[in-house]
Amino acid sequence: MRRKRRGLATSLLALSLTLTACTSGGGKEAGSAFGSLDREDKGTLKVGYFNEEAFYMQYGNAFQAMFPNVELEVVSTEEAMSADDPVAAMESFIEEQQPDAVLLTEEQYAELAKDGKLYDLDAAVKQDKFDLDSFLPSVIDLLKARGGGKLYGLSPSFSSQALYYNKDLFDKYGVPYPTDGMSWEEVLQLAARFPAKKGSDNVSLDKVGADDALYGLSLPMQTRDSFELIREIGEAKGLLYADGEAKTVSFDTPEWKAVVQSVVDGYKSGSISTVSSQGGGGQGGLMIRGMGGGKSTFSFGPATMRFMSGQAAMTVDGPMLMNMMGIGGVKIATATATKAAGSSGGAVKAPGQDVNWDLVTIPTDPSQEGATGSMSLDTIFAINASSENLPAAWEFLKYANGEQLAKTSSKSSPALSARTAYKNEADGKNIDAFYNEKINEQALLQEDSLPAGFAQSFGNMAAGQIDQAVKGTQTVDEALKAIQSQGQDLLTKALADEAAE
């Protein structure tokens, strides 16, 4: 199954920070010997990367100094990474180019590991006593979960979500600050304690903050529709909306109704911001320039700018928001001129720099013992199962995921380091809030069981029904029944289409 993660903004940033490549068929056994590579040894190493210049800047120059007699070849993966189906495009790239070292997105990693095209790293880890205990446990757990129980790659960084809160707004209205380990019910109750006042969701970016809107909870930057928050809360509670193996949709239930009702009530009252009628994008965009020199763009709208404009008490989002508000190494530019801010385009002062904010852990559910489905990996290094240059490839993986690079990157990179000893310097903010110890394996299993494209089509359909409930043109019960019926039709069709391929 091929799917797209919800963390679009994070994926776009990570794209320019990471390696990408893989291999053709015939995985090798974990017990195969890797051998060793000394500084003076000669060899070759072929690496797939988005951009050759960026590769040498980020990795190649230092690795070449460590092993001066290893001849490096860099092959661009830009076309594969920009394809409509990056997994299929990467498979074709592998067949044609046969790189040795590989860094993949999470989707590519899972698919290629399943197909036996990545090298099981267990023997290499044991051979060199590579210290996996220095990594955040949930990063290793997620790599193994995506690898069918085996470790086929290493990730130097990860992305997850946390609950941001505006300390000044909490102080102003006498509401107690949120704390680590809160449930979604508790967070929504906090949001409802603020005197909500709705603002327009369809204004230009330079007008955001000009009204007197106030929300208890603002949606994440990359939110596409009104269903995403409902899905996230449901997953935190261990709820499944569809099961590809059982071929059933299960949404018209008391448990899902409680989640939908609480969110719809929040949308109606204004305690939760709603998504722009333009689909979350609104007017304007950001140009994200990562360390690797790549360039990617994503759009966002007023509904997702409320926290940065000081008009929302809380929001759930990833590290990108922290970087945008002045912490980290990302350069930000508006895609449209903002005359009101006195800008003629190009680099501008990051919005939100004047907000007095901090972080706590993302809401979880007591029944899930703190497990979260918010973690994602977009920089997974692996070795081609068909590589004939295993010692050089393994030395490269050790360097890219090693202690020294993690130490250096913690002072310059906006990414979250998977090595817990080298967390980002965050100007006193609670960076630990991103470092969740447990992954929600149940949510992962649901995603992996669903046919390609179903999650998105289901979300689009469900969002339409939720919007009608918010407008009052149908009840929550009617929305649940419609989502159940139409969702089952979508799943049945998607499974039939997949079987026909």
Side-chain angles (χ1 to χ4, degrees), residues 42 51 64 294 358 403 434 452 470:
K42 295 182 178 180
N51 176 280
Q64 198 83 79
D358 210 336
E403 183 177 8
F434 288 113
V470 173

Side-chain angles (χ1 to χ4, degrees), residues 80 86-98 112 117:
V87 174
M90 186 57 66
E91 290 174 345
S92 298
F93 171 85
I94 291 162
E95 293 293 335
E96 296 172 3
Q97 297 295 337
Q98 289 292 317
L112 293 165
K117 296 184 177 182

Side-chain angles (χ1 to χ4, degrees), residues 439-468:
I439 59 170
N440 189 336
E441 292 194 28
Q442 184 178 20
L444 293 177
L445 290 173
Q446 174 186 241
E447 292 172 344
D448 288 340
S449 77
L450 298 176
F454 170 75
Q456 182 174 348
S457 60
F458 182 92
N460 292 340
M461 176 275 298
Q465 298 299 328
I466 297 300
D467 290 344
Q468 291 185 47

Side-chain angles (χ1 to χ4, degrees), residues 260-278:
V260 173
Q261 188 71 63
S262 64
V263 174
V264 168
D265 288 346
Y267 286 150
K268 284 184 174 181
S269 70
S271 66
I272 305 174
S273 68
T274 53
V275 183
S276 167
S277 62
Q278 300 179 43

Side-chain angles (χ1 to χ4, degrees), residues 373-384:
S374 73
M375 178 175 285
S376 61
L377 305 172
D378 293 287
T379 56
I380 304 174
F381 291 85
I383 294 175
N384 182 344

Side-chain angles (χ1 to χ4, degrees), residues 1-9 11-12 80-88 105-108 146 222 224 228 231 235 241 373 375-378 447-448 450-457:
M1 200 259 340
R2 295 170 187 166
R3 62 188 179 84
K4 293 185 178 180
R5 303 282 295 186
R6 294 189 298 275
L8 175 61
S11 298
L12 291 172
M81 293 301 295
S82 303
D84 291 337
D85 187 343
V87 174
T105 64
E106 191 176 324
E107 292 78 12
Q108 292 166 339
R146 289 296 186 202
Q222 67 272 21
R224 294 186 300 266
E228 288 195 15
R231 175 161 46 195
E235 287 180 353
Y241 64 87
M375 178 175 285
S376 61
L377 305 172
D378 293 287
E447 292 172 344
D448 288 340
L450 298 176
F454 170 75
Q456 182 174 348
S457 60

Side-chain angles (χ1 to χ4, degrees), residues 43 100 146 296 341 350 435:
D100 298 303
R146 289 296 186 202
S296 301
Y435 282 72

